[in-house]
Amino acid sequence: MNINTNSVAVVGLQWGDEGKGKIVDLLAEAADVVVRFQGGNNAGHTLVVDGEQTVLHLVPSGALHADTTCVIGGGVVVDPGVLASELASLRARGYLVEPGSLMLSQEAHLILPYHKAIDQARERKRGKGKIGTTGRGIGPAYEDKFARIGIRAGDLLDRDGFVARLRENLAEKNAYLEAMLGEGALDFDSVLAELDESTAGLLELVADTSSWLDEATRSGSKVLFEGAQALMLDVDHGTYPFVTSSNTGTGAIATGAGIAPSLVGRVLGITKAYTTRVGSGPFPTELDNEVGESMRETGGEFGATTGRPRRCGWLDAVLLAKAVRINGVDGLTVTKIDVLTGIETLNICTGYRDPAGEPCDVPSTVAALELVEPVYEQMQGWDEDLGAAQSLDDLPRAARAYLARIEELAGVPVDVVSLGQDRSRTLVLEHPFGV
Ligand code: IMP
């Protein structure tokens, strides 16, 4: 077990939407810095404080704490228009008004209008075979990063260089949009004018966040790394190709934040008490029936970014154990256990069988994963309302047994239990910062 409690990583263990934003907001109370290290505004982190809801897509979920510095690391892809408007609405409410309270890595790649156009046009063209992306240009922006033609936040500081690269890239992207995707070309002057407007207020945020974070961590600041999406959407370890275009796990923190791997401390993995996924792709424990429907209704399972209904199903402990292993999870947060109230018998998937009926591991292809049969273990449900519980002992025996079984199957302790959207509805059994 990792004993460095100066830094904590919060990572998703399923297909996203586990409630990472709420937990990061809660833990940010004890943190000096909150860092996003991958993904972009495909994320939608919902925070509810005293009944007031804030949805953040790019700004780290520490934004509501006055003394917390928020950092957008170099591994994030940033849509300047989205960042500018998110920042403006937070500032209008009195958050992030201090200079230096939000920093943007000079190495963060920008999501540009042609990335969004390509993402959306490709999805339209794919029709039924679509990935179900958020349409925010995430994949095309990461493609350009790795093709070494991306434009980074730091490039905005050299106006002539930025304009020249934009012109060159747009010519190439327009050719692709027109010839391959049958779309209209984007107009250079309009694209530039849009970017000039959205980036004007962002220039002052651009910084060498890698050095700054190294210094902060080594001088004893408490740092929280906020994952977006989750391991089953990881471009390497998820249900490829129905994944996002970044590495989403603990392994991405060092590269995405620009810090030494040894500076990553305790890892808190977040899982719902059941499973959801948005977008296409295999989902072995999906419930296409009234139980799944009741999870969606009770749990408010509609995307924070796109509003799409989420697919719902039983907890899949096979995938959970895989995500715990790859992320090096030290402790779990189990969210939304209150949503299961009233379901008489609960199922947990503890294994898979292949089409021949033989026990099997998680297959690496989606075609094979589509065909596995989940093996279920049944557990007794409960009827009591969990919302008012102040400690684990206040939970009904069946709910405690359910949590204990998750611990056994995941092989790590449950550190935090979330019983509702509000910050106050949380049982912190073991604080990851050790406070
Ligand atoms: P992209 O990240 O927009 O390219 O979308 C790729 C896949 O990841 C799609 O299935 C999306 O629905 C899913 N996805 C991306 N971000 C999130 C998220 O924050 N929560 C849940 N699913 C996400």
Side-chain angles (χ1 to χ4, degrees):
M1 181 183 290
N2 204 315
I3 49 157
N4 173 5
T5 51
N6 257 356
S7 87
V8 170
V10 170
V11 290
L13 302 179
Q14 300 171 305
W15 276 287
D17 309 313
E18 296 90 355
K20 295 178 290 294
K22 170 186 162 166
I23 299 304
V24 171
D25 166 62
L26 180 88
L27 300 180
E29 183 78 48
D32 301 299
V33 187
V34 179
V35 189
R36 277 279 307 266
F37 55 91
Q38 48 71 229
N41 60 308
N42 44 353
H45 291 171
T46 306
L47 326 181
V48 181
V49 183
D50 298 332
E52 190 185 11
Q53 178 165 305
T54 306
V55 182
L56 300 173
H57 298 286
L58 264 175
V59 170
S61 299
L64 307 188
H65 295 270
D67 299 328
T68 306
T69 302
C70 290
V71 175
I72 299 175
V76 178
V77 284
V78 175
D79 184 325
V82 172
L83 181 56
S85 71
E86 199 163 295
L87 186 55
S89 72
L90 284 164
R91 281 186 173 155
R93 292 167 55 202
Y95 300 115
L96 297 177
V97 283
E98 292 297 321
S101 53
L102 174 65
M103 300 165 84
L104 169 61
S105 167
Q106 57 198 4
E107 282 145 14
H109 280 251
L110 301 180
I111 299 178
L112 297 161
Y114 46 79
H115 294 132
K116 288 178 273 190
I118 291 171
D119 190 6
Q120 291 162 16
R122 278 187 190 153
E123 285 284 274
R124 275 195 296 276
K125 206 160 183 248
R126 282 186 188 118
K128 273 195 160 165
K130 69 181 180 182
I131 289 170
T133 73
T134 59
R136 304 298 194 259
I138 307 295
Y142 277 117
E143 283 169 35
D144 280 5
K145 168 175 177 167
F146 288 98
R148 295 161 296 179
I149 56 167
I151 298 182
R152 311 198 289 182
D155 295 329
L156 294 170
L157 306 176
D158 163 19
R159 166 92 188 155
D160 291 346
F162 165 68
V163 173
R165 294 194 70 172
L166 186 69
R167 192 186 297 280
E168 204 176 306
N169 282 1
L170 188 64
E172 192 180 314
K173 300 299 177 187
N174 274 340
Y176 177 68
L177 275 164
E178 290 182 298
M180 298 300 296
L181 299 173
E183 297 287 314
L186 302 179
D187 172 60
F188 177 76
D189 290 332
S190 324
V191 168
L192 183 61
E194 180 188 325
L195 288 170
D196 277 342
E197 192 182 328
S198 60
T199 57
L202 303 182
L203 302 184
E204 64 185 40
L205 311 180
V206 177
D208 177 359
T209 54
S210 162
S211 302
W212 187 89
L213 272 172
D214 185 72
E215 180 74 32
T217 317
R218 291 182 195 281
S219 63
S221 291
K222 294 212 183 285
V223 181
L224 191 51
F225 296 102
E226 176 181 17
Q229 293 86 47
L231 201 82
M232 292 308 138
L233 289 171
D234 182 286
V235 69
D236 287 304
H237 307 294
T239 47
Y240 190 88
F242 297 100
V243 292
T244 191
S245 296
S246 64
N247 285 115
T248 59
T250 315
I253 296 176
T255 49
I259 54 141
S262 55
L263 294 179
V264 179
R266 197 172 169 83
V267 180
L268 189 65
I270 319 292
T271 176
K272 275 181 192 166
Y274 49 100
T275 310
T276 64
R277 123 164 256 181
V278 271
S280 322
F283 181 175
T285 62
E286 183 167 12
L287 287 168
D288 200 6
N289 60 16
E290 70 282 1
V291 180
E293 187 55 43
S294 95
M295 287 173 176
R296 182 159 39 247
E297 286 306 318
T298 316
E301 297 294 359
F302 298 89
T305 298
T306 58
R308 291 178 289 178
R310 296 178 185 142
R311 300 156 63 193
C312 298
W314 298 120
L315 182 70
D316 186 334
V318 177
L319 296 183
L320 180 64
K322 175 177 170 175
V324 164
R325 171 174 61 81
I326 293 175
N327 281 304
V329 167
D330 295 301
L332 291 176
T333 290
V334 178
T335 61
K336 294 191 138 180
I337 187 168
D338 53 303
V339 173
L340 298 181
T341 297
I343 301 177
E344 200 175 327
T345 304
L346 301 170
N347 286 318
I348 301 183
C349 168
T350 56
Y352 291 157
R353 287 191 190 282
D354 65 20
E358 294 299 322
C360 64
D361 294 331
V362 184
S364 75
T365 66
V366 292
L369 188 56
E370 295 278 13
L371 294 179
V372 300
E373 267 308 312
V375 177
Y376 286 116
E377 184 176 299
Q378 300 198 324
M379 298 204 66
Q380 200 194 324
W382 57 88
D383 280 324
E384 297 89 333
D385 176 23
L386 310 187
Q390 300 292 317
S391 76
L392 210 52
D393 292 339
D394 296 337
L395 295 179
R397 205 163 50 88
R400 277 183 280 139
Y402 190 74
L403 289 169
R405 189 65 185 127
I406 293 176
E407 286 189 334
E408 275 171 16
L409 292 165
V412 285
V414 172
D415 286 350
V416 180
V417 182
S418 170
L419 303 165
Q421 268 201 321
D422 204 277
R423 200 191 261 171
S424 61
R425 294 205 163 185
T426 320
L427 305 178
V428 181
L429 312 175
E430 177 80 40
H431 200 294
F433 277 119
V435 295

